[in-house]
Amino acid sequence: RTECGGDESTYSRLASKRAGATEVRPNLASMKTEQFEGFEILYGTSAAQNDEISTRLSEPDDFWFHAAGYAGSHVIVRNPDRLRELPRSVEKRAAALAITNSKAKTAKGKIEVHVAWARDVKKPKNFPPGKVLLNSHWSVKAYASDAE
């Protein structure tokens, strides 16, 4: 299992359900979405949006991307046709979006990006916003410039 995401300085606070408050829902208006070669790609701009994308909006067969070792966006590529793998150009685009929307955006060279099936992305109750646990994943490498 691999822990991904999370940056204590950027977490938005969610109200505690134990304290009797209701959960604060993220502002989805600033969530990013784009079409690329016929695939819908979604990514958050905050830890709360990352949680929403990774745990509520994704489908089990969607692909999930995150820059390995850096705080940043969770990226989902919709997979309604249940493909076993993405076209290389789509994988490269999603990986680059994960990099450019993370603290790795100014890093030099190729950056490792974790890729997982959305069904393998779990959110333990004690994890802070934006942090998830991957039951299984593989890695790809991309440049931030691949998103341009």
Side-chain angles (χ1 to χ4, degrees):
R1 292 183 177 212
T2 303
E3 291 181 12
C4 285
D7 177 3
E8 296 294 337
S9 64
T10 62
Y11 291 150
S12 61
R13 302 247 184 247
L14 295 180
S16 170
K17 286 185 178 181
R18 272 193 219 155
T22 57
E23 182 177 354
V24 175
R25 297 299 295 252
N27 176 1
L28 297 181
S30 62
M31 183 180 68
K32 305 294 184 188
T33 183
E34 69 174 62
Q35 294 290 322
F36 184 78
E37 294 185 9
F39 288 86
E40 182 181 19
I41 302 175
L42 304 120
Y43 53 100
T45 57
S46 70
Q49 285 180 359
N50 285 342
D51 281 353
E52 187 78 8
I53 287 168
S54 296
T55 63
R56 292 188 183 97
L57 298 178
S58 65
E59 296 292 331
D61 289 318
D62 290 345
F63 291 89
W64 179 93
F65 292 77
H66 187 275
Y70 295 91
S73 290
H74 296 192
V75 177
I76 292 288
V77 178
R78 296 282 192 198
N79 186 21
D81 296 331
R82 302 174 75 166
L83 301 174
R84 299 308 303 153
E85 61 184 51
L86 289 171
R88 179 69 183 122
S89 57
V90 176
E91 179 181 80
K92 187 175 173 181
R93 174 72 179 166
L97 287 170
I99 295 166
T100 59
N101 291 284
S102 76
K103 294 199 176 194
K105 65 185 161 205
T106 58
K108 303 289 184 217
K110 283 192 170 185
I111 304 298
E112 181 180 3
V113 176
H114 289 157
V115 185
W117 296 106
R119 67 177 159 260
D120 290 327
V121 179
K122 304 299 178 196
K123 176 72 176 185
K125 287 187 179 199
N126 62 337
F127 272 31
K131 191 170 189 177
V132 295
L133 187 64
L134 303 179
N135 288 332
S136 175
H137 74 280
W138 61 98
S139 295
V140 296
K141 291 194 175 194
Y143 294 101
S145 62
D146 291 339
E148 297 171 355

